[in-house]
Amino acid sequence: MSQAPTLSAFAVLRDGLRIVGRFVRGHPWSFALAVGGAALFAGALAASAFVIGWVTDTAILPVLRDGEAAGSRVLAAVAAIAAVALWKAVSIVLRRTAAGWLQFKTQQDVREELIGHELGLELSWFGRQSVGDLLSVADNDARQGTGVLAPLPYATGVSLLLVATPVLLAVVDYWLGITAAVGMAVVVAVEVRAAVSLYPVWEGIQHQLGVVSDVAHESFDGALTVKALGREEFETGRLRRESELLRDRLVRLGVGWETYRTLILALIPAASLAMLAVGAVRVDAGAVSAGDVVSALYLLSLLGFPIQLIAFVLFELAAAIPAWKRVTTVLAADELVVYGSREAHPDAGAAPVDGEHVSFSYDGAPVLTDVVVDVPAGRTVAIVGPTASGKTTLTLLLARLWDPGTGRIRLDGRDLRSFARAELPREVAYVSQGSFLFDDTVRGNVEMGLDLGAARVEEAGRLAGAHDFVTELPDGYETRLGERGATLSGGQRQRIALARALARRPRLLILDDATSAVDPSVETEILRRLRSADLPSTIVVVAYRPSSIRLADEVIFVEDGRVVDQGSHADLLARQPGYARLVQAYEEDAATRSGERR
């Protein structure tokens, strides 16, 4: 994902407020409660300043300067201070609770929206993305993009106080009001400048976080290859270089932020000193009392942290904009799978599938051209062809994991694109060569959220040739497999994936070289069981082994992206020289492998 151009001060504030507006519209009541709590807190701060001034004039000075008895003055002062303290406590609880809920609920909403949108996109979109970058968007960018919501309500309430403070002080004395207004304006101007100047640094950081996440993901995902090739130091060096670049950008950000923060911290007491000087002059002139000056100084001291909080909000806005742009880049992807309204009929028995004039290209390169295919209901059909002939693409189209560029594919005479979302998988099951298992139990991997029952899961395990080795696992079907099924062999993973498809009793079962990791004899036995089992399924299998091809009722011969011929194995051997040469090559390879095993 590319970095955006540097923005002006106005653009940073404009884009930041647009992001905030989107979030607030999602949960207006929690934002209103948080801002209400912040406004109450701001009022408590102002009240506490005037209470301190009142206590100074009515209790402290009469006792210390004039020697009057404390008497009821102390009780009144304590009661006033306690009331303001309770006011503050209630406002803090209200503000923090509502703001926390707003922030974390919005983060949840963003992540759910991201995942929901991504899972609705075509598979071709995923092929052009970096997994590590997508993980960074869903984690870091979603968190950073919504991070401004935590301090925002407090800063909103404090902003009201910043506007009200000069006005309140001007009511007491216009010189005190002018001094406060000038001091706060200077501080806020520096804060805005800090946010704008640090925005491009945040752009680089968000981009580099995605790069580091991508490199780390590749290193972990490809750990077997890395270790097998002895490239640990190379991968470590690659991650080190990207991490060092991220470190440098974070250091630059930290130095810049702390520089501005130090300046802001210096300006706040400078404003107080200016207020003290002006106040002293006004007291000498008899325009204000000492209590008025104490109130003004105390109010400015209370505003020290809130004013810094505004800087923090602006800082978070600068961080949120590039993070949110990365989120919206994903949300803007429009390669959505379009669904119809047709419902599935999963209990209608084996389904025929056919395609007419089907073509498909990937990134402009033709993969299938004018394909015509017809698979009768209840038959076992093998798709055979040389490498890169389009076999896998054809199976993906039959399962509607991709859509054809031209033509259409029908199941039971119904266009696959006419099915409603999640309806087609009730009738069609697809098992690929690269069987993916989740970090769950065997039963959890087979059921995948469906309550199929133990008997049905075990029946599917037997048909897939998995039951025997599963029952030997420590906890049988309740054994946890680890991420990607790391505790199993490749053949075992494939058989559990096959069981997952069989447990759904699909009307069309598509196996894309789904038993390539098991022994030929085991594969043959599995296919025999599938043919003889009482399954309501038409079976389409991408086959490479002669024994598997011979078990099929029909063969579809694919070459150079076209269906060259379809018929029985014997008929194709007789009339298709290319098919005969390919099968002969398969047989010679099988004989060689058999000899090696002996």
Side-chain angles (χ1 to χ4, degrees), residues 226-286:
V226 172
K227 295 182 74 66
L229 296 175
R231 303 300 292 164
E232 294 92 341
E233 290 187 7
F234 172 79
E235 281 299 303
T236 302
R238 192 160 69 106
L239 182 60
R240 182 188 303 112
R241 287 190 296 273
E242 300 299 343
S243 298
E244 287 174 349
L245 183 55
L246 175 60
R247 176 204 63 198
D248 293 343
R249 291 178 177 177
L250 287 169
V251 168
R252 180 184 171 193
L253 176 71
V255 170
W257 168 241
E258 289 302 325
T259 299
Y260 279 107
R261 186 167 176 269
T262 302
L263 179 58
I264 293 167
L265 289 174
L267 287 173
I268 293 173
S272 297
L273 289 175
M275 179 68 71
L276 179 60
V278 172
V281 172
R282 300 301 288 166
V283 170
D284 288 342

Side-chain angles (χ1 to χ4, degrees), residues 49-98:
F50 286 101
V51 164
I52 291 298
W54 174 78
V55 169
T56 300
D57 284 339
T58 61
I60 297 177
L61 290 180
V63 172
L64 296 180
R65 184 184 59 191
D66 303 330
E68 297 181 12
S72 61
R73 289 187 176 91
V74 173
L75 293 178
V78 170
I81 292 172
V84 171
L86 179 61
W87 183 353
K88 283 184 180 180
V90 171
S91 65
I92 289 172
V93 171
L94 178 61
R95 185 194 78 236
R96 289 185 176 178
T97 301

Side-chain angles (χ1 to χ4, degrees), residues 10 92 119 125 390 418 439 464 528 549:
F10 172 77
I92 289 172
L119 292 181
W125 180 84
S418 68
D439 185 8
R528 282 201 180 106
I549 297 172

Side-chain angles (χ1 to χ4, degrees), residues 257-343:
W257 168 241
E258 289 302 325
T259 299
Y260 279 107
R261 186 167 176 269
T262 302
L263 179 58
I264 293 167
L265 289 174
L267 287 173
I268 293 173
S272 297
L273 289 175
M275 179 68 71
L276 179 60
V278 172
V281 172
R282 300 301 288 166
V283 170
D284 288 342
V288 296
S289 68
D292 293 332
V293 177
V294 169
S295 293
L297 289 172
Y298 184 67
L299 186 56
L300 282 182
S301 69
L302 291 178
L303 287 176
F305 177 72
I307 289 176
Q308 294 178 60
L309 186 68
I310 292 177
F312 184 68
V313 168
L314 294 172
F315 182 74
E316 287 292 322
L317 274 181
I321 294 171
W324 188 246
K325 282 184 177 180
R326 285 164 55 82
V327 171
T328 54
T329 296
V330 175
L331 294 178
D334 59 358
E335 299 172 48
L336 293 169
V337 179
V338 179
Y339 296 95
S341 58
R342 188 184 297 276
E343 295 182 357

Side-chain angles (χ1 to χ4, degrees), residues 10-36:
F10 172 77
V12 169
L13 293 175
R14 178 200 63 202
D15 292 354
L17 291 176
R18 283 177 179 172
I19 294 170
V20 168
R22 183 188 194 274
F23 297 152
V24 170
R25 285 192 298 272
H27 303 287
W29 286 109
S30 60
F31 180 75
L33 285 174
V35 171

Side-chain angles (χ1 to χ4, degrees), residues 360-433:
F360 181 83
S361 298
Y362 188 78
D363 285 345
V367 180
L368 294 175
T369 304
D370 198 29
V371 166
V372 177
V373 63
D374 186 9
V375 179
R379 305 280 282 179
T380 298
V381 176
I383 299 178
V384 179
T387 302
S389 59
K391 302 184 296 298
T392 292
T393 300
L394 180 56
T395 61
L396 289 168
L397 295 176
L398 292 176
R400 215 219 160 177
L401 294 172
W402 285 344
D403 281 331
T406 61
R408 60 178 180 167
I409 297 175
R410 296 171 296 195
L411 184 77
D412 250 352
R414 301 164 293 170
D415 193 314
L416 299 188
R417 287 171 286 205
S418 68
F419 283 87
R421 185 169 188 168
E423 286 294 306
L424 186 62
R426 298 177 62 197
E427 297 194 25
V428 180
Y430 173 85
V431 187
S432 66
Q433 179 181 4

